[in-house]
Amino acid sequence: MSVKHASVHAKWIIGRVIGTKMYKTAKVRVTRLVLDPYLLKYYNKRKTYFAHDALRQCTEGDIVLLKALPEARSKHVKHELAEIVYKVGRVVDPLTGMSVEGTQFVELPTDLPLILGEDQTLSEKLQELNISTAPSGADSPPAQNPTS
Amino acid sequence: MPMKGLFPIRRTLEYLQKGDIVFKNRVKIMTVNYNTHGELSEGARKFVFFNIPQIQYKNQWVQVMMFKNMTPSPFLKFYLDDGEQVLVDVEGKDHKHISDHVRKILGKTEEVLQAEAQAKMQESNPANFGPRKYCLRECICEVDGQVPCPGTTALPKEMTGKYRTKMAAAQE
């Protein structure tokens, strides 16, 4: 028998996840540039691949890097998830390492900075904040409840 | 009659063949992240507009993908065969600069390209005869000044095999 090569020609591909409804499998759309023979212009040509995602970490819209498996896992699944390059909604800029939204940097929401004085305990700090469910008299009258 | 579109010269075979970035065999995927507005992405935008068709023409098997407006700064990312990734920052750079840099880090050098061209030429030696797909000529009868094909014109009697055997048998 001839030498067994990898099951597919494409060893590494990048694509966008379009479906995660299958069991531990991600449906990935890969676009490649193909030259139109008359216009001599490059257009995106799509192809869908199925990739094995053991930890179910993909969401729809992620950009993922797939690696070809040495032999096909099933009739359609011939790749596995190598890494999630850009997670949808949580893109991290590789140059700075900060999280990014479109063309803006984004500060992830952290808890309020807790600055305790020297002789202050946490309970005293909480008392300072004056959080209580009892209505305080001096405040403005509570807002009218919208009639349902 | 002029060609249609902005810079239609990009859509000529001559322009595509002029591209000089041929990636090494290890490079499998090329990704360009750039922004549609802003001064800093200007070089990256020009790179995508002018140089990407040339690169894709010369490297048919490399997957090239473009991402717009994902991060504030533009960059290129290459994914090599053994899982290695190469990140190239192109913020504020000129497109000529970017293509020269890419050629220097991941492109095949002039000597390697010439050696490959030489090897290809040796395979297609004009001295070989064979099927049209692989060689120039199929039979010596096609060359001017050689004996014409016996399929079209009859050979002179003295050159035919049956006459020669008859003469050889008569002599013994």
Side-chain angles (χ1 to χ4, degrees):
Chain A
M1 283 292 277
S2 57
V3 175
K4 251 282 141 125
H5 298 287
S7 57
V8 263
H9 195 263
K11 303 281 182 299
W12 294 86
I13 36 180
I14 272 202
R16 190 171 174 203
V17 174
I18 47 177
T20 51
K21 300 238 175 82
M22 292 181 286
Y23 180 75
K24 286 190 183 168
T25 314
K27 192 196 275 190
V28 176
R29 174 178 286 158
V30 165
T31 57
R32 291 190 170 92
L33 289 174
V34 172
L35 185 66
D36 183 287
Y38 181 71
L39 295 176
L40 288 181
K41 193 170 173 184
Y42 278 98
Y43 291 98
N44 280 324
K45 187 170 175 178
R46 327 163 146 178
K47 192 167 175 180
T48 37
Y49 289 89
F50 293 102
H52 179 62
D53 176 19
L55 306 166
R56 293 188 179 207
Q57 27 178 312
C58 294
T59 6
E60 215 168 295
D62 295 346
I63 310 292
V64 295
L65 177 69
L66 305 180
K67 185 176 174 163
L69 290 166
E71 67 269 319
R73 202 185 156 82
S74 77
K75 182 176 165 198
H76 294 287
V77 177
K78 296 164 280 207
H79 298 268
E80 64 165 352
L81 178 75
E83 80 168 291
I84 299 181
V85 181
Y86 305 116
K87 181 103 190 123
V88 64
R90 290 176 185 279
V91 180
V92 173
D93 182 16
L95 292 168
T96 54
M98 297 172 56
S99 63
V100 132
E101 185 70 47
T103 51
Q104 307 282 332
F105 286 106
V106 144
E107 267 186 35
L108 287 173
T110 55
D111 291 336
L112 291 170
L114 186 64
I115 311 164
L116 287 176
E118 277 181 353
D119 47 355
Q120 240 186 355
T121 59
L122 189 56
S123 38
E124 282 170 359
K125 185 82 183 173
L126 280 171
Q127 272 178 4
E128 258 188 23
L129 290 173
N130 262 340
I131 306 167
S132 136
T133 46
S136 47
D139 290 341
S140 53
Q144 296 286 338
N145 283 342
T147 49
S148 53
Chain B
M1 191 213 28
M3 285 173 78
K4 294 193 190 250
L6 194 62
F7 287 98
I9 190 173
R10 303 174 295 137
R11 298 195 289 115
T12 48
L13 270 179
E14 198 186 319
Y15 177 85
L16 291 174
Q17 280 155 4
K18 272 234 178 83
D20 46 2
I21 303 185
V22 180
F23 284 132
K24 296 180 183 162
N25 295 336
R26 299 191 297 151
V27 179
K28 297 290 174 201
I29 306 175
M30 173 175 167
T31 304
V32 186
N33 269 276
Y34 65 105
N35 295 333
T36 44
H37 296 87
E39 267 295 323
L40 300 166
S41 267
E42 186 62 37
R45 262 174 273 146
K46 285 215 152 47
F47 178 74
V48 167
F49 191 70
F50 289 111
N51 298 14
I52 291 275
Q54 289 177 322
I55 294 177
Q56 183 74 97
Y57 188 79
K58 290 282 174 175
N59 306 279
Q60 307 268 9
W61 298 106
V62 172
Q63 183 193 356
V64 179
M65 247 188 132
M66 253 70 78
F67 295 107
K68 293 194 209 171
N69 298 325
M70 281 189 86
T71 67
S73 49
F75 59 91
L76 265 59
K77 201 147 188 207
F78 299 88
Y79 296 84
L80 307 185
D81 201 17
D82 44 355
E84 197 184 326
Q85 296 173 13
V86 180
L87 180 64
V88 180
D89 183 16
V90 300
E91 191 162 358
K93 290 198 189 148
D94 188 39
H95 70 287
K96 192 95 186 30
H97 212 172
I98 301 171
S99 73
D100 284 339
H101 184 67
V102 164
R103 184 146 168 244
K104 198 159 46 156
I105 50 174
L106 287 166
K108 285 188 181 161
T109 52
E110 270 297 322
E111 322 143 348
V112 171
L113 282 172
Q114 273 174 11
E116 279 182 3
Q118 274 281 345
K120 253 178 92 168
M121 250 175 48
Q122 273 164 10
E123 279 165 19
S124 60
N125 193 344
N128 293 337
F129 289 83
R132 287 273 167 212
K133 189 178 168 189
Y134 303 105
C135 312
L136 277 178
R137 299 161 293 206
E138 286 193 333
C139 180
I140 194 106
C141 64
E142 296 175 23
V143 179
D144 290 340
Q146 296 295 330
V147 172
C149 189
T152 48
T153 49
L155 281 176
K157 203 158 152 215
E158 294 81 23
M159 290 169 80
T160 55
K162 66 200 280 189
Y163 180 83
R164 279 165 153 186
T165 45
K166 200 172 83 175
M167 285 293 115
Q171 273 199 346
E172 287 157 21

